[in-house]
Structure formats: C-alpha cells, structure tokens
Amino acid sequence: MSLTFYYSPMSSAARIHWVLEELGIPYEKVKIDIKTGAQKAPEYLKVNPNGKVPAIVDDGTPMFESLAILIHLGEKYGVAKGLWPAVGTKAHMHALTWATWGTVTLGSAVFRYVSNTADRFPADQRNAKQAEAAKKEMESCLVLLDAELAGKEYLGGSAFTLLDVANASLIGFARMMAGIDMAPYPNVDKWAQRCTTRPAMGRVMAG
Ligand SMILES: N[C@@H](CCC(=O)N[C@@H](CS)C(=O)NCC(=O)O)C(=O)O
C-alpha cells in the first residue's frame, strides 16, 4: 500500500492527521505551506484541483475534502480495527449521519462565527449580526450534540471511533478560535476531553 497525506499545520488537515495516527497505518506526510500559496501550485492542483489542504493519494488515487477522506479511511482501514462501523449496519448509518452533521451543520456555524469574530479576519469583513446568528446556531448544535452524548462515553457508544474525530476536531476549533466555553454542555465537555487527550492527538500536536 502507499498513502500520501498533504497537510498544513493547524488547518483542516489536522483531523485527517488525527485519523491517520489513530489508524496506525504507514503514510508519507507532505507539507503544503498555505501561507506561501503552495496549495495553488500546478503540481499540487493535480492532487487537489480545489487548491486546499487536506488531500491524500491512496494507492495512486487522489482525494480531497476532509469528511470524504475520513469516511474513506474509516471504511478501508478502520473497520478491522474497530474504529469505523461496517458498511450496511445501523452503526454505519449513525456514523454517516453524525459525521456529516458535525462537518456540515455544526462546522458551518462554527466557521461563520469564527470568520465574523476572530482577529485573523479583516475587520471590514466581519459582521456583528452574522456573528450573533451563527452563535445561536452553534449553541443549538451544541445542545443537540450534548443530548446525543447523554449516557455514552463516545458518539458510537462505549468505544472511541473516527466518528469522534469528525466532531471533536470541530469542538477543538470552536474552543481555540472562538473561545467557546463548553461548560454549559457537560457531556460535550467531558467527551471532548476524553478524545483530545488520546495519545494519537498528542502526536498530531507534536507535528
Ligand atoms: N472543506 C474543506 C476545507 C479545506 C480548507 O478550507 N482548507 C484550508 C485550510 S483550513 C486551506 O487549504 N486554505 C488555503 C486556501 O484556501 O487557499 C475540507 O474539509 O477539506
């Protein structure tokens, strides 16, 4: 097998880095420095025509979009390791639902809130009303996630899976970029702590 992972530190690629470390499979890491515009270089655009990180090339086939990559890696390498449910099971239907919800619904509320509040975005592009609407949406997502986690150690039940990565990566981002306090969502708070203190996450943070 050959697997190449294209990443930039502290970016959407971190969730795929986390997935790869949890899977424990061999892979080659290629840094794409998005600060210098390397993501738009013609060679890289052959891998990801969308010009962003992350991307992978798995046995010669390129893929982009972190959610698609997470699901692919889960299905190909994670089922045998208990890190992703087998296709066609109820657990798989649940995992697809909540991985997509985390990335699309929770993720878009978090990104809209961050891009309308964080200093790294130009002040004249930030809008207080947009930020307020995104915050409300993000809070109702967190209430829903808190309810989904009630009585469970992890999103899939008693064992950690890549479904947890799909969601906990967004919670980490909301905390870090927007300073969102998770105390009002105690199940989310405790679960995120369980997930982000895993050794694989430690290896991601070390680079
Ligand atoms: N929806 C994409 C988002 C990818 C994305 O926005 N990546 C950012 C880094 S967080 C990027 O490469 N930015 C560089 C650019 O847009 O030129 C995914 O989940 O893979």
Side-chain angles (χ1 to χ4, degrees), residues 113-134:
Y113 182 68
V114 168
S115 58
N116 281 290
T117 52
D119 287 348
R120 67 187 270 183
F121 294 93
D124 60 356
Q125 285 177 27
R126 285 185 251 139
N127 178 299
K129 287 223 157 69
Q130 290 277 358
E132 203 182 310

Side-chain angles (χ1 to χ4, degrees), residues 11-12 34 39-40 51-54 65-66:
S11 74
S12 307
I34 60 175
Q39 72 278 22
K40 310 293 181 204
K52 291 179 191 294
V53 289
E65 283 297 331
S66 62

Side-chain angles (χ1 to χ4, degrees), residues 5-152:
F5 166 50
Y6 297 86
Y7 79 106
S8 188
M10 307 297 280
S11 74
S12 307
R15 64 206 311 238
I16 299 306
H17 194 179
W18 188 359
V19 165
L20 290 165
E21 287 299 325
E22 292 287 355
L23 288 168
I25 52 178
Y27 65 95
E28 186 199 349
K29 226 165 69 172
V30 177
K31 186 168 168 180
I32 301 294
D33 190 349
I34 60 175
K35 291 200 193 94
T36 65
Q39 72 278 22
K40 310 293 181 204
E43 274 312 299
Y44 183 67
L45 291 177
K46 286 183 197 153
V47 174
N48 181 356
N50 197 39
K52 291 179 191 294
V53 289
I56 60 163
V57 175
D58 185 3
D59 282 331
T61 304
M63 269 192 99
F64 61 97
E65 283 297 331
S66 62
L67 176 60
I69 297 170
L70 182 148
I71 294 170
H72 164 71
L73 293 175
E75 288 179 353
K76 186 166 174 184
Y77 304 105
V79 178
K81 294 174 186 250
L83 284 167
W84 192 255
V87 177
T89 59
K90 284 185 187 171
H92 186 256
M93 291 165 73
H94 175 268
L96 288 185
T97 300
W98 284 95
T100 305
W101 175 86
T103 306
V104 177
T105 307
L106 169 65
S108 74
V110 169
F111 280 114
R112 259 184 299 121
Y113 182 68
V114 168
S115 58
N116 281 290
T117 52
D119 287 348
R120 67 187 270 183
F121 294 93
D124 60 356
Q125 285 177 27
R126 285 185 251 139
N127 178 299
K129 287 223 157 69
Q130 290 277 358
E132 203 182 310
K135 188 160 192 262
K136 277 205 183 105
E137 210 177 298
M138 195 170 59
E139 285 167 352
S140 62
C141 284
L142 290 168
V143 168
L144 187 62
L145 186 59
D146 206 62
E148 178 61 20
L149 281 162
K152 291 198 280 194

Side-chain angles (χ1 to χ4, degrees), residues 1 16 42 73 86 98 112 127 133 154 167 186-187 195 197 200 204:
M1 90 174 245
I16 299 306
L73 293 175
W98 284 95
R112 259 184 299 121
N127 178 299
Y154 295 102
N167 284 274
N187 298 324
C195 294
T197 51
V204 173

